[in-house]
Amino acid sequence: MAEPVLAIHDVAAGYDGRRVLDGVDLVVPAGRLTAIIGPNGHGKSTLLKAISGLVRVSAGSIALHGTRIDGLRPDQIVERGVIQVPQGDLLFPGMTVLDNLLMGAYRQDAARDAGARLDMVFTLLPKLKERRHQIAGTLSGGERRMCGIGRGLMAGDGLLMLDEPSLGLAPIVIDQIYEVIFDLCAAGRTILLVEENAQRITERADSIHLLDNGRFVWSGIGAELMARPEIIEAYLGA
């Protein structure tokens, strides 16, 4: 069996002495779309932050390509190829779209290939090319989300972590965002996706993991999840 891109074992983490994650285990295979679903406030974003080094891991281990990264600084983790596109926009609102994208190419290898990466982003997200000289703060909500994803893509080809990319967007814009995500998957990109709306990913995710109160309580594929309406009703409010 090939070594996974990411292996999380028995991880605990939280804030100000309050444990949010407790005994989390997860494997993210190369070239696959791994999805984490679950209710709001139960640890999904905290898990991504723990992987990125933004939240301290108090127990357990996180390994990238077999080498532990828990305990490293966030910038060191990014240099090793872990790219997180956080929830919400978090752009530099006073800068142009182009400058926001170029800010993503700060890793040494990404900076060397910034021109080619920019072409790739503009191919995947042509609206950004149209808006490249526009001030980011004046973009629509969907355009800001696309710019955030584009900035993440500028950072390199490693593990891409997306935290609720559909949050707060109109259905037609969500469809556009997910078309890009699925195109990346088809091209072999390794993606760890946090999503509250399970129906968005049931047909396309290679594996789905339900996080509740800081622990994974169910794992499987989309067809298995849709065959368990009691899980959807109990945990996802649908």
Side-chain angles (χ1 to χ4, degrees):
M1 181 180 293
E3 181 180 76
V5 170
L6 189 74
I8 300 172
H9 176 64
D10 201 25
V11 159
Y15 309 91
D16 299 325
R18 181 175 65 91
R19 182 169 287 194
V20 176
L21 303 175
D22 188 10
V24 171
D25 293 285
L26 181 68
V27 171
V28 178
R32 303 292 180 86
L33 172 58
T34 301
I36 300 172
I37 61 173
N40 279 334
H42 285 240
K44 301 188 303 296
S45 294
T46 300
L47 179 55
L48 295 194
K49 291 177 181 177
I51 297 167
S52 295
L54 299 172
V55 171
R56 187 178 67 85
V57 171
S58 57
S61 63
I62 301 175
L64 182 72
H65 300 294
T67 301
R68 287 185 64 167
I69 59 172
D70 53 284
L72 297 181
R73 300 190 311 267
D75 62 299
Q76 294 172 320
I77 294 173
V78 170
E79 284 294 337
R80 284 159 173 78
V82 177
I83 310 301
Q84 180 176 349
V85 178
Q87 188 180 111
D89 304 320
L90 297 184
L91 301 179
F92 299 99
M95 297 169 57
T96 65
V97 168
L98 179 59
D99 286 339
N100 267 275
L101 293 174
L102 292 175
M103 286 294 289
Y106 59 87
R107 296 176 60 218
Q108 291 184 6
D109 60 341
R112 287 193 295 268
D113 299 330
R117 293 190 181 282
L118 192 61
D119 289 341
M120 178 269 292
V121 169
F122 285 157
T123 298
L124 276 171
L125 299 161
K127 183 65 71 173
L128 295 183
K129 186 173 184 179
E130 296 176 19
R131 300 281 193 264
R132 63 189 182 277
H133 299 305
Q134 186 170 329
I135 298 299
T138 66
L139 297 174
S140 69
E143 291 166 347
R144 290 196 298 270
R145 197 65 46 81
M146 291 178 185
C147 190
I149 293 173
R151 186 174 61 188
L153 294 175
M154 290 292 294
D157 298 324
L159 172 65
L160 180 64
M161 304 195 302
L162 303 172
D163 192 355
E164 297 209 35
S166 66
L167 184 67
L169 300 181
I172 189 171
V173 180
I174 296 173
D175 289 342
Q176 295 169 356
I177 295 290
Y178 269 94
E179 183 178 351
V180 173
I181 293 171
F182 295 146
D183 284 346
L184 290 168
C185 294
R189 188 70 186 258
T190 303
I191 297 178
L192 180 58
L193 170 70
V194 163
E195 179 55 82
E196 185 178 357
N197 187 344
Q199 294 183 346
R200 285 283 170 189
I201 45 84
T202 50
E203 294 184 2
R204 303 296 290 271
D206 294 289
S207 63
I208 301 173
H209 307 268
L210 174 59
L211 190 67
D212 181 54
N213 286 323
R215 288 178 175 269
F216 285 120
V217 297
W218 182 91
S219 294
I221 61 173
E224 293 170 339
L225 178 62
M226 299 313 293
R228 299 285 302 275
E230 72 278 9
I231 292 179
I232 297 175
E233 182 176 358
Y235 292 102
L236 304 173

